[in-house]
Amino acid sequence: MKYIKHMITISMVFLFAYGSENQKNSLTFEKEYSEEDIVDGGTLVVGIMGDPEALNPLTALSKYAKDVVSLIFRSLADINADLNSFSPQLAKSWLFSNDGLSITFNLRTDVLWHDGERFTAKDVIFTYAMQTDPGVGWDGLFYKESIRAVKALNDSTVIFEFLERTPTMLMDAVEGYIVPEHLLADITPNRIAEAEFNRSPIGTGPFKFVKWKTQQSIVLEKFNKYYIEGKPHLDRIVFQVVSNNISLWQQVRSGDVDLMEGVPPRDFVKLKDDWAKRKTNIRPITFLGRQYDFIGWNLIDPDHYATVMAEAGDEEVDLDRLLKPNKFFGNQKVRAALTMAIDRSAITELVNQGMAVRMDGPTPIIWTSYNNEANTIWHYNPDLAVQFLNDEGWVDSDGDGVLDKDGLKFSFEMATNIGNERRKQALTIIQEQLSGIGVEMIQKIADPGLLFGRMLIPRQFDAALIGWEVGLKMDLTPLFHSSSLLMPFNFTSFRSQEFDKLKEAAKGNFDRTATQEYWDNIAKLLSFELPYTWLYYKMENVALHKRFKGTVIDKRGTYINLEDWWVPHEERTEVDRMAPN
Amino acid sequence: MGHSQLLLSVEDLIIHYQSRKSTLFTKPEIVSAVRGVTFSINSGETLAIVGESGCGKTSIVMSILGFVKPVSGKIKYKGTDIWDVTREELRGIRRKIQPVFQDPHHSLNPRMTVGQAIEDGLWPHQYEDMIEKQNGVLELLRAVRLGKEHLNTYPHQLSGGQKQRVCIARALAPNPELLILDEPLSSQDLSIQATLVNLLLDLKQKKGLTYLFISHDLRIVRSIAQQVAVMRDGILVEVSDRDSIFNNPQHSYTESLLKSSGLL
Amino acid sequence: MVGAVIVLIIFFSALGAPILAPYDVNAQNLTMSLQPPSTSHLLGTDVYGRDLLSRLIYGARVSLGIGLSAAFIATTVGVFVGVFAGFLGGWVDWLLMRIVDVLMGFPRLVVMLLAVGFGTPSIWLTLTVLGLLAWMEVARIVRGEVMVIREMLYLKAAQALGLKRSRIIMGYILPNVIGSVIVSTTLLIGTMILVEASLSFLGLGVQPPNASWGTILNQGRVDPVGAWWISAFGGLMIIITVVGFNLLGDGLRDLLDPRSLT
């Protein structure tokens, strides 16, 4: 089950990596309007590059599905821009118990589902049951792992009881949208994927579902009985499915689409220039997003791993026997040398057109725990890289220009997924820079399914240049903890007692300074050990028609306050006057 | 010339052509080209088949050469049915029956020199070495009154008459007994026709050849043939010796042919 | 003989690439990314700051190599099949032509993807598969020619001489189809260079960092307007070469025609 969960998340990562992306610190635009100027009406057309698979919070996986779902549904509370505190949504308030092991939520009593039914504590209890049901396969299950039980005291009060105290208790409790018990109770959990509800969802959010033309469009309309009076302001949201980002970008420029995420860097740079010169109605919005690219080194010997796994069959495998150090990358000094041989600053700049930040350590830049001071920074230094390799016995003894050691040539494959020009370019630069220090790297461009299913998960690879999508829960356990060793995410097979100890010590620690110390130690350890060579953290490039006011777009997402967006009468276009159809 | 041994006999030959290929929806359209023809040639004789174009003369030639299989009837060479032998036997018989076609321009491979073309007709084992083979080729060239200088020329460098001589030389190469001359002169100028007729008569005498001479030109036929067969619409209307045909035609068609040639 | 001159120039620049190329072919200079043509870089630079002229010169090796070899394979197979089908006729012809029909219906790219998916991507595999997927057109042309030649009087005369089939094919048929074979081969060379370009884009052709005109052409897609010189010069090289080979083909055909020997 756990395996499946990870698989799902991995496939998500690639959906993201292909096309569009998200958010930065809250940027509010257009200051010249005041509260009194706000008027209702208007239509927002969003261009998306894929048809959602389901509009059910329990089964939605792709970014597009999750984006649409976020407008139809509400959760108990919503994370603030500091990524630490929360604002109330369906819960009016909450209170930690004295022992710190439970949280009591006071629910709103004025919330209606889009079909007119009243929202109650029953829905919260039901949602938790569904989220944690193995038959459902909800992809946020790991948020709920430390929760022992959820109980309703009455129609408007629920208690979340925890197994242990952790710094992320509140986040764990409120994660996930609440679904209607009265509509889903009759559905067998493992048949949820076939539920009619997935294509005609009923939620409590500001916009209600109207219609869905497969591979064409999804239309949402303002929910008039939304629990916040006067919201939302827009009448209609249309998600228009466009097959690729080139034609989507054309539709944005022609005015057919108002909002696009994932504008190609080159086009975005031009857009920024045009916007500065007031030559366009399309506003460029950029912020640190949720995605970074890195090289993962296989720390173990792939052939040995395959042999032992095959021998073991279904039986338990002894980790010490299974994990034999990789002949190239099993050595920290070699990894350091390879890292120093790569000009990460130049790559960051070149392949992203400046729309990215160099990354030196494991902590995603949007996390509050990010502190680049803590990282060991391996600056570009090919000479030192050569020296490191020579020290480890890698020398060019046969004069063929490639280093060797005990008859073994330093030649390996670095894989990436097909169809990502940015990563392909990075790979080409890295190839040339490695050849400069006498290391032969062969590019391996693979289908994403093949890359994960046949190479990374069974550990049959040398090195991989891929990207992760960053979650808001600050936790590196799935990537680097020894408990994740045979799991898909810890694909480099990183094992460090020090990391495990730090993790253990940080558990249940609520002191901010101490927590930061923990994160600094983690960063220091991993940036020195280099299971990854981190490359760059991407900026997200969003284009939005300038008539939309009151927008907040940041690292949490592009749609976080859509209920506040509005369009002044004088700026309305044909699209806003479009009759509902 | 005196001993009249039967060399080639054609018995009740019927040849059909498909003028249209059969498809899923249409039956093939059958055209009868030769509708029961019988004649024979004795060794050392010249038999001429005369008739207007399209009467079936060429079909008979193609059938004798083994290219078109008759529907019924027999073609016997020295008593052997050429359509009832093995492939290897056929190759042997074929070399004894050599054709000279009407159109010398298309009768020679444009990418072979005169020497190569003639050389191909010599038996591989007929000559001991290259020099002897070369001499054999030269001898044949001389026989058709061409010289050494033509050895390495390509067909397009020769005149029509010269080409036809090369064709005759090539036909002589395998030492044939029967030459099938399918209107060999009709594409030539009158002056050349005369010299070629002389050449053919000369060769016949020297080499003891037998000719099957196909023509529509009665003047030439009169100067070359002993026996004449008159053909019309796939059948032979009259077969007789030369003098009977030219002096005392029995069939009205023969008569009209002679009239139109100004010979009667 | 303009064609011969063009082909020879390209051929010799490919041979002399190490001398002619002004820069190291794979040397990157990230600070010189996408520089337009200038005196230091006559044809500009690519995304990685590599000298485009040097890469085009080196790319000639790969593109010519692939074009010539694949066209050679395709021609050999095509002539073989075409002669057999056309000369033997009957069921042999029927069977071979049905095979040709079926293969021509195959989408070339799908077959390539499959072949490369099962094997390891390499220039040799690419080349072989390319060649084996392109012979059908040659086979058809040759078969048609052979069927015409089969009815020629000189062939009847040769058969009447009792010549063996092998002699008839080698002496009478092949020399007479060579003209059209040469023309279709030179056309094929151009096609093969272009197909290699599309394969390189899928990561199936030339492996990076090696340059081929196809990969260069594809790199131009990064910014076709802003960095026009990459696609423009890459495409120009392909066009010049294809035209050069076609002219050469015409020239050779005339040259090989005995009528021109006088």
Side-chain angles (χ1 to χ4, degrees), chain A residues 51-74:
Chain A
D51 206 27
E53 65 288 337
L55 295 181
N56 181 340
L58 294 169
T59 57
L61 292 174
S62 73
K63 171 175 166 50
Y64 309 117
K66 284 170 183 274
D67 286 344
V68 179
V69 159
S70 76
L71 303 178
I72 301 172
F73 292 88
R74 279 293 170 260

Short mmCIF file of all heavy atoms in Angstrom, two decimals, chain A residues 51-74:
data_model
loop_
_atom_site.label_atom_id
_atom_site.label_comp_id
_atom_site.label_asym_id
_atom_site.label_seq_id
_atom_site.Cartn_x
_atom_site.Cartn_y
_atom_site.Cartn_z
N ASP A 51 -6.28 17.11 -19.26
CA ASP A 51 -7.62 16.93 -18.73
C ASP A 51 -7.51 16.27 -17.36
O ASP A 51 -6.81 15.28 -17.22
CB ASP A 51 -8.41 16.04 -19.69
CG ASP A 51 -9.90 16.29 -19.60
OD1 ASP A 51 -10.29 17.42 -19.24
OD2 ASP A 51 -10.66 15.36 -19.90
N PRO A 52 -8.18 16.81 -16.35
CA PRO A 52 -8.14 16.16 -15.03
C PRO A 52 -8.70 14.74 -15.12
O PRO A 52 -9.56 14.47 -15.97
CB PRO A 52 -9.05 17.04 -14.17
CG PRO A 52 -9.07 18.35 -14.85
CD PRO A 52 -8.96 18.06 -16.31
N GLU A 53 -8.21 13.85 -14.27
CA GLU A 53 -8.72 12.48 -14.31
C GLU A 53 -9.97 12.32 -13.45
O GLU A 53 -10.82 11.49 -13.73
CB GLU A 53 -7.63 11.48 -13.90
CG GLU A 53 -7.13 11.57 -12.47
CD GLU A 53 -6.28 12.79 -12.19
OE1 GLU A 53 -5.72 13.36 -13.14
OE2 GLU A 53 -6.20 13.22 -11.03
N ALA A 54 -10.09 13.13 -12.40
CA ALA A 54 -11.26 13.04 -11.52
C ALA A 54 -11.32 14.32 -10.69
O ALA A 54 -10.29 14.89 -10.37
CB ALA A 54 -11.14 11.83 -10.59
N LEU A 55 -12.53 14.77 -10.37
CA LEU A 55 -12.65 15.98 -9.56
C LEU A 55 -13.07 15.63 -8.14
O LEU A 55 -13.89 16.31 -7.54
CB LEU A 55 -13.62 16.96 -10.22
CG LEU A 55 -13.13 17.49 -11.57
CD1 LEU A 55 -14.13 18.47 -12.17
CD2 LEU A 55 -11.77 18.16 -11.44
N ASN A 56 -12.51 14.56 -7.63
CA ASN A 56 -12.79 14.11 -6.27
C ASN A 56 -11.50 14.27 -5.46
O ASN A 56 -10.46 13.74 -5.86
CB ASN A 56 -13.21 12.64 -6.34
CG ASN A 56 -13.54 12.08 -4.97
OD1 ASN A 56 -13.12 12.62 -3.95
ND2 ASN A 56 -14.27 10.99 -4.96
N PRO A 57 -11.54 15.04 -4.35
CA PRO A 57 -10.31 15.27 -3.59
C PRO A 57 -9.62 13.97 -3.16
O PRO A 57 -8.41 13.95 -2.95
CB PRO A 57 -10.79 16.04 -2.35
CG PRO A 57 -12.11 16.58 -2.70
CD PRO A 57 -12.70 15.68 -3.74
N LEU A 58 -10.39 12.90 -3.04
CA LEU A 58 -9.80 11.65 -2.57
C LEU A 58 -9.03 10.93 -3.66
O LEU A 58 -8.16 10.12 -3.39
CB LEU A 58 -10.91 10.72 -2.03
CG LEU A 58 -11.62 11.21 -0.77
CD1 LEU A 58 -12.85 10.36 -0.51
CD2 LEU A 58 -10.69 11.19 0.42
N THR A 59 -9.38 11.19 -4.91
CA THR A 59 -8.74 10.44 -6.00
C THR A 59 -7.98 11.32 -6.98
O THR A 59 -7.28 10.81 -7.84
CB THR A 59 -9.79 9.63 -6.79
OG1 THR A 59 -10.77 10.54 -7.28
CG2 THR A 59 -10.43 8.58 -5.94
N ALA A 60 -8.12 12.63 -6.85
CA ALA A 60 -7.43 13.53 -7.78
C ALA A 60 -5.92 13.39 -7.59
O ALA A 60 -5.42 13.40 -6.47
CB ALA A 60 -7.86 14.97 -7.54
N LEU A 61 -5.18 13.26 -8.69
CA LEU A 61 -3.73 13.08 -8.61
C LEU A 61 -2.99 14.18 -9.36
O LEU A 61 -2.00 14.71 -8.89
CB LEU A 61 -3.34 11.73 -9.21
CG LEU A 61 -3.80 10.51 -8.43
CD1 LEU A 61 -3.47 9.25 -9.22
CD2 LEU A 61 -3.11 10.46 -7.07
N SER A 62 -3.46 14.50 -10.54
CA SER A 62 -2.69 15.45 -11.36
C SER A 62 -2.86 16.85 -10.83
O SER A 62 -3.82 17.18 -10.13
CB SER A 62 -3.16 15.38 -12.80
OG SER A 62 -4.43 15.97 -12.92
N LYS A 63 -1.92 17.67 -11.20
CA LYS A 63 -1.96 19.07 -10.76
C LYS A 63 -3.26 19.74 -11.21
O LYS A 63 -3.88 20.49 -10.46
CB LYS A 63 -0.78 19.81 -11.37
CG LYS A 63 -0.87 21.29 -11.17
CD LYS A 63 0.34 22.02 -11.64
CE LYS A 63 0.06 23.51 -11.74
NZ LYS A 63 -0.54 24.05 -10.53
N TYR A 64 -3.69 19.43 -12.45
CA TYR A 64 -4.87 20.11 -12.97
C TYR A 64 -6.11 19.72 -12.18
O TYR A 64 -6.95 20.56 -11.87
CB TYR A 64 -5.04 19.78 -14.46
CG TYR A 64 -3.77 20.04 -15.21
CD1 TYR A 64 -3.08 19.01 -15.85
CD2 TYR A 64 -3.20 21.31 -15.21
CE1 TYR A 64 -1.89 19.26 -16.50
CE2 TYR A 64 -2.01 21.56 -15.85
CZ TYR A 64 -1.35 20.53 -16.49
OH TYR A 64 -0.17 20.78 -17.11
N ALA A 65 -6.22 18.44 -11.86
CA ALA A 65 -7.35 17.99 -11.07
C ALA A 65 -7.34 18.67 -9.70
O ALA A 65 -8.36 19.17 -9.23
CB ALA A 65 -7.30 16.48 -10.92
N LYS A 66 -6.17 18.73 -9.08
CA LYS A 66 -6.08 19.32 -7.75
C LYS A 66 -6.40 20.81 -7.78
O LYS A 66 -7.00 21.35 -6.85
CB LYS A 66 -4.67 19.10 -7.17
CG LYS A 66 -4.48 17.66 -6.68
CD LYS A 66 -3.02 17.40 -6.35
CE LYS A 66 -2.81 15.95 -5.94
NZ LYS A 66 -3.05 15.70 -4.51
N ASP A 67 -6.01 21.48 -8.86
CA ASP A 67 -6.31 22.90 -8.97
C ASP A 67 -7.82 23.15 -9.03
O ASP A 67 -8.34 24.03 -8.35
CB ASP A 67 -5.65 23.48 -10.23
CG ASP A 67 -4.15 23.65 -10.06
OD1 ASP A 67 -3.68 23.61 -8.89
OD2 ASP A 67 -3.44 23.79 -11.07
N VAL A 68 -8.51 22.38 -9.85
CA VAL A 68 -9.96 22.56 -9.97
C VAL A 68 -10.64 22.21 -8.66
O VAL A 68 -11.51 22.94 -8.16
CB VAL A 68 -10.51 21.69 -11.13
CG1 VAL A 68 -12.02 21.86 -11.25
CG2 VAL A 68 -9.84 22.05 -12.44
N VAL A 69 -10.20 21.10 -8.07
CA VAL A 69 -10.78 20.66 -6.80
C VAL A 69 -10.63 21.73 -5.72
O VAL A 69 -11.53 21.96 -4.91
CB VAL A 69 -10.10 19.33 -6.36
CG1 VAL A 69 -10.25 19.09 -4.88
CG2 VAL A 69 -10.64 18.17 -7.17
N SER A 70 -9.52 22.46 -5.74
CA SER A 70 -9.26 23.46 -4.70
C SER A 70 -10.28 24.60 -4.72
O SER A 70 -10.41 25.33 -3.75
CB SER A 70 -7.84 24.02 -4.86
OG SER A 70 -7.80 24.94 -5.93
N LEU A 71 -10.99 24.77 -5.84
CA LEU A 71 -12.00 25.83 -5.91
C LEU A 71 -13.38 25.33 -5.50
O LEU A 71 -14.23 26.10 -5.07
CB LEU A 71 -12.07 26.40 -7.33
CG LEU A 71 -10.75 26.94 -7.89
CD1 LEU A 71 -10.91 27.43 -9.31
CD2 LEU A 71 -10.22 28.07 -6.99
N ILE A 72 -13.60 24.04 -5.65
CA ILE A 72 -14.92 23.46 -5.37
C ILE A 72 -15.04 23.05 -3.90
O ILE A 72 -16.12 23.08 -3.32
CB ILE A 72 -15.17 22.23 -6.29
CG1 ILE A 72 -15.07 22.64 -7.76
CG2 ILE A 72 -16.52 21.60 -6.00
CD1 ILE A 72 -15.10 21.48 -8.74
N PHE A 73 -13.90 22.67 -3.30
CA PHE A 73 -13.93 22.12 -1.94
C PHE A 73 -13.21 23.03 -0.96
O PHE A 73 -12.44 23.91 -1.35
CB PHE A 73 -13.29 20.73 -1.94
CG PHE A 73 -14.09 19.70 -2.68
CD1 PHE A 73 -13.90 19.51 -4.05
CD2 PHE A 73 -15.06 18.94 -2.02
CE1 PHE A 73 -14.65 18.58 -4.75
CE2 PHE A 73 -15.80 18.00 -2.72
CZ PHE A 73 -15.60 17.82 -4.09
N ARG A 74 -13.47 22.79 0.35
CA ARG A 74 -12.78 23.49 1.42
C ARG A 74 -12.28 22.48 2.44
O ARG A 74 -12.85 21.41 2.61
CB ARG A 74 -13.73 24.49 2.09
CG ARG A 74 -13.87 25.80 1.32
CD ARG A 74 -12.55 26.55 1.34
NE ARG A 74 -12.48 27.69 0.44
CZ ARG A 74 -11.89 27.67 -0.76
NH1 ARG A 74 -11.35 26.58 -1.23
NH2 ARG A 74 -11.82 28.76 -1.48
#
